[in-house]
Amino acid sequence: MSDDNRVYSYSTVLMGSPILLKLFSHDEALASRVFRLIKRYEDLLTVNRAQSQVMDINHAAGKHAVAVSRPVFELIRCAKAASMIKDSAFNLAIGPLVKRWKIGFQGDSVPPADEIAALLTITRPEEVMLDEASSSVFLARPGMEIDLGAIAKGYIADRVRDYLRKEGADLGLINLGGNVQTLGSPDGGWSIGLKKPFAGDALIGTLTVENRSVVTSGTYERYFEQNGRRYHHILDPRTGYPLDNALDSVTLISTDSIDGDIWTTLMFGMGVEKGCAALRARPDIEAIFVTKAKEVVLSSEHHFRFTLLDNGYRVTGSTA
Ligand code: AMP
Ligand code: MG
């Protein structure tokens, strides 16, 4: 067990996000090793810089295959599998559209419709070709780009949990800017806030979990406004425009954060009804939908406890 019951917090900024590590022992050396581990993965996976293993693949689109390290290959394989699910809203080849919209970055604006239509033709996940034997990835068309922004943090959060466990920590929490992974069960569990959309740090409520990941994707996380309309960063791969439906955010509670990260995108695409129905086949994964109509819908509540703090919201169970 830990030396005492105090929580020690360590923070930094990586992947363009505030990173928070909580430990139950004072161990700065361990915290720096965790932050170095995160940085190593960021360096392999980022598409926000000129060079990374993923950028090497993107630069070679339409030309040749690129051999990558095993973890990168496996993450891409996993992202491709999620993209190939029928009617999936998840698409690892969404890069050209993400780069064109630049949502949340300098110069973001609504692209002309014909440009979006043209870019849709180079975002086909089936044209991300994988070769298992050589761990190599080939993008079949020039201009294609992989973007792992919807899955990388989940993957990395799981690696941090595994590392803390290997280092003998029995309690720990890592928050990679919205992707939370927890190790162990402190007294009363880990309490995690559910953010109120477009309201800064205000909370709708809190979740209590043990040994679970909590991942949120929200339309309020990154967006811009043009002519009175809001455009957020989760794109619909079928239309090329931001996913437009009744949802403000989706939070996934799962054992592995990579599942949560993938499923938030899938849930955004499906909406509340279809999403809850799909989750019935996965009792290990649960969702909290926050709608624009100020409803909080829980697909189920087996592996967490939700406490409402904001009475402007109404909590309902799934009717699916
Ligand atoms: P998340 O925060 O996990 O919801 O991921 C959002 C990020 O994933 C965006 O900032 C883009 O980089 C990328 N992205 C946007 N739309 C999609 C999509 N439909 N499928 C996969 N990745 C996406
Ligand atoms: Mg995600």
Side-chain angles (χ1 to χ4, degrees):
M1 263 315 278
S2 48
D3 320 343
D4 55 45
N5 281 329
R6 280 183 56 189
V7 179
Y8 296 86
S9 297
Y10 303 89
S11 57
T12 185
V13 175
L14 290 165
M15 302 186 286
S17 303
I19 309 289
L20 176 71
L21 173 69
K22 289 187 183 182
L23 298 173
F24 271 67
S25 60
H26 180 60
D27 193 342
E28 253 168 64
L30 178 59
S32 352
R33 291 202 300 282
V34 166
F35 293 154
R36 270 206 301 279
L37 179 82
I38 297 169
K39 186 166 180 325
R40 269 210 309 279
Y41 281 115
E42 177 185 18
D43 290 346
L44 291 174
L45 301 171
T46 184
V47 291
N48 294 321
R49 292 185 215 144
Q51 207 278 322
S52 70
Q53 288 201 357
V54 175
M55 284 309 291
D56 292 346
I57 297 169
N58 291 347
H59 288 315
K63 293 185 236 164
H64 57 84
V66 172
V68 291
S69 60
R70 203 61 205 171
V72 175
F73 183 80
E74 276 161 18
L75 183 57
I76 291 172
R77 185 173 53 196
C78 182
K80 180 176 175 180
S83 309
M84 298 300 288
I85 296 170
K86 192 173 173 307
D87 296 326
S88 176
F90 190 104
N91 183 343
L92 86 162
I94 198 98
L97 282 163
V98 173
K99 288 275 165 71
R100 181 60 188 82
W101 277 91
K102 299 200 202 81
I103 293 172
F105 292 93
Q106 189 92 37
D108 46 9
S109 64
V110 181
D114 57 342
E115 274 190 48
I116 290 182
L119 292 174
L120 279 174
T121 66
I122 52 167
T123 58
R124 297 188 184 128
E126 62 273 25
E127 293 182 336
V128 176
M129 321 302 281
L130 305 182
D131 185 60
E132 184 70 46
S134 59
S135 287
S136 65
V137 184
F138 174 52
L139 306 181
R141 276 174 210 266
M144 282 182 75
E145 289 181 65
I146 291 178
D147 181 325
L148 300 176
I151 187 173
K153 284 183 182 173
Y155 174 80
I156 297 171
D158 291 338
R159 298 294 73 76
V160 170
R161 173 207 52 198
D162 295 348
Y163 181 71
L164 289 174
R165 191 178 279 151
K166 191 181 94 182
E167 291 288 299
D170 31 34
L171 293 170
L173 176 148
I174 186 78
N175 185 347
L176 304 177
N179 270 67
V180 176
Q181 179 57 288
T182 66
L183 174 65
S185 30
D187 284 348
W190 295 100
S191 177
I192 294 155
L194 178 66
K195 273 197 180 163
K196 180 171 175 173
F198 306 104
D201 288 333
L203 300 180
I204 296 178
T206 57
L207 289 83
T208 312
V209 295
E210 293 171 4
N211 278 313
R212 294 260 146 184
S213 153
V214 179
V215 177
T216 298
S217 278
T219 59
Y220 57 85
E221 286 175 325
R222 216 160 339 119
Y223 65 92
F224 68 92
E225 284 171 13
Q226 191 175 316
N227 297 331
R229 279 205 61 177
R230 205 181 267 150
Y231 298 88
H232 66 81
H233 71 307
I234 306 162
L235 300 176
D236 187 339
R238 297 156 288 202
T239 65
Y241 288 81
L243 270 158
D244 191 13
N245 57 26
L247 297 172
D248 267 345
S249 74
V250 181
T251 296
L252 264 284
I253 300 95
S254 53
T255 299
D256 288 329
S257 203
I258 192 169
D259 289 330
D261 217 354
I262 292 170
W263 278 75
T264 48
T265 309
L266 297 180
M267 293 293 98
F268 249 103
M270 289 185 203
V272 177
E273 304 266 301
K274 278 193 192 155
C276 286
L279 283 174
R280 272 186 302 179
R282 289 295 301 261
D284 55 321
I285 303 180
E286 303 179 281
I288 301 177
F289 299 86
V290 175
T291 72
K292 291 174 183 153
K294 298 202 175 235
E295 282 172 319
V296 179
V297 185
L298 314 183
S299 68
S300 58
E301 197 180 1
H302 300 305
H303 302 291
F304 68 95
R305 224 171 45 246
F306 180 70
T307 309
L308 185 72
L309 296 175
D310 184 329
N311 289 324
Y313 281 79
R314 209 161 52 89
V315 182
T316 62
S318 149
T319 49

